[in-house]
Amino acid sequence: MVTSRARGRWAALLLAGLTPVVAELTLGNPPLRQAWLLLLWTPIYGAGTVLIRELVRRTGRGWPAILLLGAAYGIVEEGLALQALTSPTIYGVAGWAPRILGLNSAYTELNIPYHAVFSVALPILLVDLIVPELRHRPYLGRTGLVVAGVVFVLGAVLLRWTTSFIDPGYQAPPAALAAFVLVIAVLAVLALRFVPRPPAAAPRTVPTPPVVACLAGVVAFGYLALLFPFGGARHPAFTEGGWVVVPMVAAALLAVVAGVLLRRWTAHGGWGDRHSLALAGGALVAHTVFGVIANGENVTDRVSLAVLGLVMIGLLALLARRTR
């Protein structure tokens, strides 16, 4: 019989391996022909998400804390390791929208929430559904927690080293790095000390799982489409000049409305595991559809990503069959 401790380690490994697949591969970044790049990203992605889950479970916090720490993770990756939040050259993102206080504004608005949701929250949610008996417990002991933290730091250093080949010669200003560290610390303290613990659920009507899946898909696709230039566009949503602020504001409003509705629905007893799976599935399918449209460099990349999307749908369907 598999012990609870061994099952927890297995769940932690599953979460670590699933995270970069959800965050990067199912979006087509990288394409399947370059899937080996996940080996470079797994230390920071996988260990980071495992570390966040362990801290939240040990302090008894809930999903708001996971999202806050997910945003902090996004700043670690994009601000400290990649330094893409401030770089004027990497990926060409400085030209998406006006730079504000030295930040690539549209890229920042896109990626910090993206990491909070797709790099942290959704992988944790999926593994909680796969291993439901451990969903409210830490996976690892103190040694495992320390190992996850060390691997996460080493993963960030590895990512910073590889970025020197992508964006040679750039070093973020010390003031920006200090500001990122301060924001990360504030988010961590808010998440682990001040965010209220989950309230007791009360009965209330919530949308059916198919409706939840459709709404999640619309929000995920809409948010990405509003901020990520695609189809030959140089700026978000095919705008020019000052009009770029319109899709940026629209994306922010979309995220706020979705967050308010989701908090209302999940705070009541009518929300169940099938709703959670529908939420994750709708968002994942929509973001893979967007990847097929926006990230494929050629027909082969788009077809391979579409096939991966079909495999993902099949796996989600299998999980739905065993989800109460």
Side-chain angles (χ1 to χ4, degrees):
M1 180 180 295
V2 179
T3 65
S4 177
R5 181 172 297 181
R7 193 162 178 79
R9 289 194 293 265
W10 176 86
L13 289 173
L14 175 62
L15 178 58
L18 183 64
T19 297
V21 174
V22 169
E24 297 288 350
L25 196 64
T26 57
L27 186 62
N29 182 29
L32 278 176
R33 55 187 166 82
Q34 295 179 332
W36 60 270
L37 287 171
L38 295 186
L39 296 175
L40 300 176
W41 300 338
T42 297
I44 185 172
Y45 272 106
T49 301
V50 169
L51 179 63
I52 287 172
R53 188 193 182 280
E54 292 299 293
L55 292 173
V56 171
R57 290 294 180 263
R58 287 168 180 271
T59 55
R61 308 292 164 172
W63 290 104
I66 287 175
L67 290 171
L68 284 175
L69 290 177
Y73 167 86
I75 298 173
V76 171
E77 179 178 326
E78 301 289 346
L80 300 181
L82 288 173
Q83 299 187 1
L85 299 185
T86 54
S87 173
T89 53
I90 194 170
Y91 309 144
V93 299
W96 288 8
R99 285 164 57 87
I100 300 175
L101 298 176
L103 292 176
N104 297 320
S105 57
Y107 183 84
T108 301
E109 183 183 356
L110 170 66
N111 278 275
I112 302 307
Y114 180 88
H115 282 300
V117 174
F118 285 94
S119 301
V120 176
L122 289 186
I124 290 175
L125 176 58
L126 288 172
V127 177
D128 279 353
L129 293 171
I130 295 171
V131 194
E133 65 272 20
L134 298 179
R135 70 175 60 184
H136 299 301
R137 297 166 49 189
Y139 289 150
L140 304 172
R142 290 184 179 180
T143 300
L145 180 66
V146 172
V147 169
V150 170
V151 173
F152 173 60
V153 172
L154 294 177
V157 173
L158 175 63
L159 188 60
R160 180 66 203 139
W161 177 74
T162 57
T163 306
S164 64
F165 299 98
I166 303 172
D167 194 21
Y170 177 73
Q171 176 62 50
L177 296 176
F180 292 150
V181 171
L182 177 61
V183 173
I184 291 166
V186 170
L187 290 174
V189 171
L190 287 175
L192 300 177
R193 300 290 295 178
F194 294 104
V195 170
R197 289 178 170 82
R204 184 171 178 174
T205 302
V206 297
T208 62
V211 173
V212 171
C214 291
L215 292 175
V218 169
V219 172
F221 189 94
Y223 193 84
L224 293 171
L226 283 168
L227 293 174
F228 186 87
F230 66 99
R234 296 180 302 167
H235 310 286
F238 301 93
T239 54
E240 294 288 344
W243 288 103
V244 71
V245 72
V246 175
M248 294 177 66
V249 171
L253 291 175
L254 180 64
V256 169
V257 171
V260 170
L261 290 176
L262 187 59
R263 183 161 179 79
R264 287 180 181 176
W265 294 335
T266 57
H268 295 87
W271 185 273
D273 282 358
R274 286 189 175 273
H275 293 88
S276 296
L277 181 58
L279 175 72
L284 286 171
V285 170
H287 114 298
T288 298
V289 170
F290 181 79
V292 171
I293 296 171
N295 273 343
E297 295 182 2
N298 51 54
V299 174
T300 301
D301 288 349
R302 289 190 286 272
V303 170
S304 62
L305 181 57
V307 171
L308 177 63
L310 293 175
V311 172
M312 179 181 67
I313 291 172
L315 293 174
L316 289 169
L318 289 175
L319 182 56
R321 293 185 61 180
R322 56 179 292 233
T323 300
R324 292 177 298 176

